[in-house]
Amino acid sequence: MSTSPSSRPALHAGPAVAPVPRAGTTPPLGRGGRHAATYAHRGSSGMAPENTAAAFELAIAEGADYVETDVQLSADGELVIIHDVTLARTTDARRVFADRPPWNVHDFTLAELKKLDAGGWYAAEFAGQHILTLDELLDLLGDRVGLNLELKSPAVNPGLARAVVARLRRRRDWIEPGARRWPLVVGSFDEQAVRDFHTQLPDVPVSLITYDVPAGGRLADLAGWVFSVNPDIRRLRPEDAARVIEAGLALVPWTVDSPELWRWALDLGVDGMITNYPSALKDLLHGRDPASGTAGVVIEDIRYHSPGDGAREHVVLRNVSDQPVDVSGWYLRNQASDRIVVGDGHVIPPDGLLRVHTGPASDDDGRAGAFWNSTHGDSAGLHRADGTIVDLYAYVI
Ligand code: G3P
Ligand code: CA
């Protein structure tokens, strides 16, 4: 297991008592250590297509405390579960509705959205997954797991907070204090949307999703009405983590995808972590090896593309065992769930290296892009051909 670079110093764990939300149901949080809550980011999205029934069911089976997911509005005002503001990346909309670019979610009715496949892009075995409505998601989850619902992109989904409030008011079992064993937390990057939601349903705990931890005065204000702050792990500094804890807010960073980052965050005293790999995080929290531990191959380095460095981006795999390892058909996923498959005939000798070149890539609109994030950092899952995890790696820039 490896994370690089990770030179940031660790802090001592914070206070032992986690903040309690205002609703009657207490989220399963605990400051640092094995009791930190596991939030499955868009479901178990390192192993199944994000925001689908398959990813949510897997997250529950893996013992996640929460599923985190994203809700938006369709053209006819239905609440639908999808992350991107367009359908292009996670459905077959380009093929099914070839004449309707740029495939904005809010330009399609629910009936049209239901025609799309939301799983085949990820792997053939998931073909047939569909975009869920919020009601379908609530039915699927029942009282089996917590829900961290993100009001996604309210600027392009006007009235989103109001629509979610209206829907939840028709699902009293989700909002009555004490009615559920597992909590509901509603959040957004958009503070006004969080305020709008909170004003209407003050008993439901809310979260503010951020890149950086808010400055002191704003943090103090948030502490009066917000349950948790969700900062970007790649930009979280120990002193900012301490400020969140000191303010009495729950600290739940996103998206934390390697054992080294998990340990680092636990040392900061986080209350929970949002991850694409909830099963592996659960393993770590319970003192087990987060990967199989038997494959003998690790991700040693990721050379993301930096402008001007002239190098083609690539991943370095090392065989740390004393036997040759055939990695044909193994694959790597980045945090956005893009996949690179190792071709046939690749056997790494003992202590040998394999460089898996990936870019530069370009998307279907012709924009140049690179596979590995070169702005803030990224993470990689190395999987055998059958999908099992071999290694998890993250880097922070
Ligand atoms: O909840 C935080 C996290 O989900 C925010 O990132 O882009 O995956 O919605 P994103
Ligand atoms: Ca989200």
Side-chain angles (χ1 to χ4, degrees), residues 311-358:
R312 286 174 62 200
E313 66 171 15
H314 61 271
V315 178
V316 181
L317 304 183
R318 179 181 291 278
N319 180 352
V320 292
S321 76
D322 57 5
Q323 299 291 321
V325 178
D326 185 347
V327 296
S328 307
W330 290 24
Y331 60 90
L332 290 145
R333 276 197 200 278
N334 62 14
Q335 201 160 81
S337 290
D338 306 309
R339 185 162 82 148
I340 322 164
V341 181
V342 178
D344 288 339
H346 287 287
V347 177
I348 313 180
D351 202 37
L353 301 178
L354 178 69
R355 295 176 195 278
V356 184
H357 289 267
T358 59

Side-chain angles (χ1 to χ4, degrees), residues 41-42 51 68-70 83 148 150 152 189 209 274:
H41 182 236
R42 314 181 195 170
N51 285 336
E68 186 275 348
T69 190
D70 312 282
H83 176 272
N148 182 190
E150 178 181 348
K152 181 53 84 182
F189 280 100
I209 309 167
I274 300 172

